[in-house]
Amino acid sequence: MSKSLQAIRGMNDILPEQTPLWRYFEGTVARLLDNYGYKQIRMPIVEFTELFKRSIGEVTDIVEKEMYTFEDRNGDSLTLRPEGTAACVRAVLEHGITGGGQVQKLWYIGPMFRHERPQKGRYRQFHQIGLEVFNLDGPDIDAELIIMTWRLWGELGIRDAVKLELNSLGTSESRGRYREALVEYLSAHHDKLDEDSQRRLKTNPLRVLDTKNADTQAVLVDAPKMADYLDDESRAHFEGLKARLDAVGIPYVLNPKLVRGLDYYSKTVFEWVTDKLGAQGTVCAGGRYDGLVEQMGGKPTTGVGFAMGIERLVLMLETLEQIPAEISRQVDVYLCAFGEQAELAGLALAERVRDQLPNLRLQVNAGAGSFKSQFKKADKSGALYALILGDDEMAQQVVGFKPLRGQGEQQSIAWDALAAHLATCVVQG
Ligand code: ATP
Ligand code: MG
């Protein structure tokens, strides 16, 4: 196929054989969020470029080199969203739904776009489920976000394979004091830093902390620690969070180098990481951003949130073989009809059954075909039972009911009794 008719590098089709697992994952998360009292919000995929520059920060990887930015026909600079927080904050401000201290507990799901180097677990269009809470400033809500994800890992069967890393970045004042101390220390070791870190030292010094360069890491061993610069309020907040995680029994490790890639975080930051996916080990990441709403022109409004990468979590379910057997079967019953009269009767019968059993996954054979070919399709569909309508059944107003997975003989069921019979033998989701 010519290149221009192929998908863009790093942007994937999610094929029908993969969508059951995606839907299982998304459904599990959505149910959990419903149960904890979070409400879904849906934002556009494209926003003014300025929004991301203002919120994410000019000197972050995302804004410097990863955004899909273009001019539209009016000459406005637009960007495909690289993340969800900026648009979510814009939306709550635009509609005034966080005004007067109103609490909002929101979540969203959808594609994000970043021009990164595609590799396993890292794509140019990828999908996140994200969550943002506004106007709750205590550590209790930070804890709730983490507790909720902990429950999710449990339900998905991947809890043993993820680890929680925690840090506190303090308020912007204490972070400012820390930044000064860090810059002073790193400047004294300037020649030993890698080129990227030398550049970051000038633009965004905290980002030097999460360098992958071994020489720079060696310099960082004796660098000042944020923990020693935390203000009392941030310290108390962090202790409050840890006490709650201890109370629920959620293990964590403190990682003083965890700074997150975005500029807007304050106080709590956290990441759930795994060693099952190679280099792309973070499956969920977030933190508190108490200054962001004001920075974007709103009244002071605290915020905390996280986002998880759906591709990476789906990959984990596959890698750890935590795929529930029932999600791959999408058909309960397959109806085969032979001859024109039987086909018409079959259609009407199927609709009557669907009226009575709206959750039944009933597939009616399309494209006619011989007894043999329809039966093959019934079997291949994964259905538990085949329904058979031929001349004999038509004459007696019954349908043949045949178990396809080994249990029992074929029997005849009267049309009127079919729905009731199916209700007893098919467990409906
Ligand atoms: P990373 O360090 O892996 O680049 P990040 O800090 O840039 O991640 P966030 O912006 O915090 O990521 O996004 C939250 C989550 O979204 C990540 O933890 C990850 O699971 C997922 N994610 C981020 N970028 C990508 C990508 N390019 N492809 C797939 N998933 C991604
Ligand atoms: Mg990144």
Side-chain angles (χ1 to χ4, degrees), residues 312-347:
R312 290 185 195 177
L313 284 158
V314 165
L315 212 53
M316 266 193 92
L317 295 176
E318 288 168 344
T319 309
L320 300 173
E321 296 179 9
Q322 294 296 321
I323 304 176
E326 65 274 12
I327 68 166
S328 50
R329 189 171 55 76
Q330 296 200 290
V331 181
D332 298 320
V333 180
Y334 192 102
L335 189 148
C336 310
F338 307 98
E340 209 172 306
Q341 288 311 310
E343 225 182 81
L344 297 179
L347 271 186

Side-chain angles (χ1 to χ4, degrees), residues 173-417:
E173 296 79 37
S174 59
R175 197 164 55 254
R177 283 197 303 278
Y178 173 61
R179 189 185 292 115
E180 271 175 38
L182 185 68
V183 168
E184 191 180 306
Y185 172 86
L186 292 176
S187 301
H189 297 81
H190 190 268
D191 294 347
K192 288 183 229 143
L193 303 178
D194 64 282
E195 217 174 286
D196 213 29
S197 296
Q198 288 180 348
R199 192 177 55 83
R200 281 177 170 170
L201 181 56
K202 294 202 191 73
T203 56
N204 194 351
L206 291 188
R207 289 305 308 279
V208 176
L209 293 176
D210 66 4
T211 180
K212 303 273 183 294
N213 182 282
D215 297 331
T216 303
Q217 281 177 344
V219 173
L220 285 171
V221 172
D222 294 319
K225 302 280 178 287
M226 182 68 221
D228 299 324
Y229 289 78
L230 275 190
D231 53 289
D232 291 345
E233 186 199 327
S234 299
R235 194 183 306 275
H237 188 102
F238 201 35
E239 291 308 317
L241 169 60
K242 289 188 279 183
R244 285 168 174 85
L245 298 180
D246 292 338
V248 181
I250 300 178
Y252 51 83
V253 285
L254 300 180
N255 177 358
K257 291 185 183 154
L258 185 64
V259 290
R260 310 280 309 116
L262 289 65
D263 258 1
Y264 50 57
Y265 288 106
S266 56
K267 292 187 179 159
T268 310
V269 286
F270 66 91
E271 289 194 356
W272 287 98
V273 297
T274 179
D275 56 9
K276 307 288 180 206
L277 298 179
Q280 274 50 252
T282 305
V283 293
C284 174
R288 184 162 274 286
Y289 49 84
D290 289 344
L292 178 63
V293 175
E294 216 179 340
Q295 180 186 316
M296 287 174 61
K299 297 242 165 59
T301 302
T302 61
V304 59
F306 65 68
M308 54 182 110
I310 302 183
E311 280 81 359
R312 290 185 195 177
L313 284 158
V314 165
L315 212 53
M316 266 193 92
L317 295 176
E318 288 168 344
T319 309
L320 300 173
E321 296 179 9
Q322 294 296 321
I323 304 176
E326 65 274 12
I327 68 166
S328 50
R329 189 171 55 76
Q330 296 200 290
V331 181
D332 298 320
V333 180
Y334 192 102
L335 189 148
C336 310
F338 307 98
E340 209 172 306
Q341 288 311 310
E343 225 182 81
L344 297 179
L347 271 186
L349 182 61
E351 288 310 306
R352 271 169 59 198
V353 169
R354 288 175 174 133
D355 284 342
Q356 289 171 290
L357 303 175
N359 291 327
L360 184 74
R361 295 174 300 179
L362 167 59
Q363 190 168 325
V364 175
N365 182 73
S370 67
F371 187 82
K372 200 173 151 199
S373 85
Q374 288 198 37
F375 234 73
K376 220 165 145 181
K377 287 196 276 180
D379 190 48
K380 216 174 143 212
S381 76
L384 298 175
Y385 303 98
L387 300 176
I388 299 149
L389 270 178
D391 292 343
D392 291 352
E393 287 82 9
M394 287 296 287
Q396 296 170 46
Q397 306 236 321
V398 296
V399 60
F401 176 86
K402 183 174 168 55
L404 293 173
R405 312 286 150 203
Q407 57 300 47
E409 292 298 303
Q410 179 169 332
Q411 41 181 312
S412 294
I413 313 276
W415 291 352
D416 287 341

Side-chain angles (χ1 to χ4, degrees), residues 89-101:
V89 168
R90 184 213 32 81
V92 299
L93 284 179
E94 191 164 332
H95 300 283
I97 59 174
T98 51

